[in-house]
Amino acid sequence: MEAFAVNAQIGVVQLSTEGNRTQVDEKAFELLAQRENTTLRLKGEGFTWNFASEDMVDPALANGSFDAAIRQEISGEMTQAIQSVTQDAPYTAFETAFSGPLPGKATLEYQLDIQVYAGKMVDLYYQPEDGPAEWVTQLPVSEEGIVAIPLEHCSVYFLTVTSDSGSAEDIQNTPITDAETAVKTTTTSSFSWTAAGLIGLVLIALVVIVVFVVQPNQDDDI
């Protein structure tokens, strides 16, 4: 069991879920739902989950915990189904270790290949176990290759560059969505969390201790 500090002013809790420590007890989401203007960030290798307190719907989880891991190994049958959509175009597919509805709406910041995706628009698809892929939405990718994916349900998804995708400059005049805002703030998230830690040392009276139960994950590392 490990303790993590919540800064009452900054309102951000960040938990590292790298390696085999990817299980987060549902108590973390119950505590999050009780707070206001607080974000829970679960940071792994190449991805970060973001859960906002105001978006919590049902913190109770089927197995009592949330597995934050992201897998890039997709079964052969699903790969064929995905390639029937993407054809010869490059794509990135991933499967969430957790399956089913999330405790609330989340944003998954996912690192893509910069040379292929940076500054582009991508199409997000949901790939069910049986049946054809379902188009979900179109999303912008930052110049750092990060895409912010809004999710309410965990499963297999894939991204491919939009056929008529332009550069980042081409979409400057489009309405700003929550996903785009999340992408723009990603590059400063590490600095913000470091600053939060420093402020917490000075304003110790404002720090609330939240305990997260982190259990070893038996799945292979990503």
Side-chain angles (χ1 to χ4, degrees):
M1 184 177 295
E2 301 181 19
F4 296 86
V6 179
N7 187 289
Q9 289 186 332
I10 301 301
V12 176
V13 183
Q14 180 160 299
L15 173 62
S16 175
T17 59
E18 296 182 353
N20 64 349
R21 302 178 66 83
T22 62
Q23 298 278 355
V24 180
D25 193 89
E26 66 180 12
K27 186 65 176 178
F29 299 100
E30 293 175 2
L31 293 169
L32 179 65
Q34 296 171 13
R35 295 185 59 83
E36 295 182 357
N37 303 318
T38 302
T39 299
L40 173 63
R41 290 172 58 83
L42 306 177
K43 184 175 178 57
E45 185 177 351
F47 66 88
T48 301
W49 289 95
N50 294 273
F51 294 90
S53 56
E54 59 268 25
D55 292 328
M56 287 294 97
V57 176
D58 184 5
L61 301 173
N63 297 321
S65 65
F66 172 71
D67 191 342
I70 300 293
R71 305 188 183 109
Q72 295 179 326
E73 297 81 10
I74 308 298
S75 69
E77 291 184 0
M78 281 197 172
T79 297
Q80 292 179 2
I82 292 171
Q83 291 177 342
S84 69
V85 175
T86 61
Q87 298 297 319
D88 296 328
Y91 70 90
T92 295
F94 65 88
E95 179 178 12
T96 55
F98 182 80
S99 180
L102 289 163
K105 183 175 65 176
T107 298
L108 175 64
E109 296 173 7
Y110 196 70
Q111 178 67 62
L112 300 172
D113 187 332
I114 294 178
Q115 294 184 345
V116 177
Y117 298 99
K120 299 290 187 179
M121 295 294 293
V122 292
D123 286 310
L124 172 68
Y125 291 85
Y126 159 62
Q127 179 60 59
E129 291 186 13
D130 299 313
E134 301 175 13
W135 184 86
V136 179
T137 189
Q138 192 176 88
L139 300 167
V141 181
S142 73
E143 293 297 333
E144 292 75 27
I146 297 173
V147 60
I149 306 171
L151 293 177
E152 297 183 35
H153 185 278
C154 284
S155 189
V156 176
Y157 294 89
F158 65 94
L159 300 137
T160 185
V161 176
T162 303
S163 59
D164 58 349
S165 178
S167 65
E169 295 180 355
D170 296 331
I171 60 174
Q172 283 182 350
N173 296 324
T174 59
I176 296 177
T177 64
D178 292 340
E180 289 179 85
T181 302
V183 170
K184 292 177 181 178
T185 57
T186 297
T187 55
T188 61
S189 61
S190 297
F191 173 81
S192 297
W193 180 242
T194 301
L198 294 175
I199 294 173
L201 293 175
V202 179
L203 304 176
I204 190 66
L206 297 179
V207 175
V208 179
I209 300 302
V210 177
V211 176
F212 295 92
V213 178
V214 183
Q215 305 168 347
N217 180 31
Q218 301 302 319
D219 294 329
D220 294 336
D221 294 343
I222 296 175

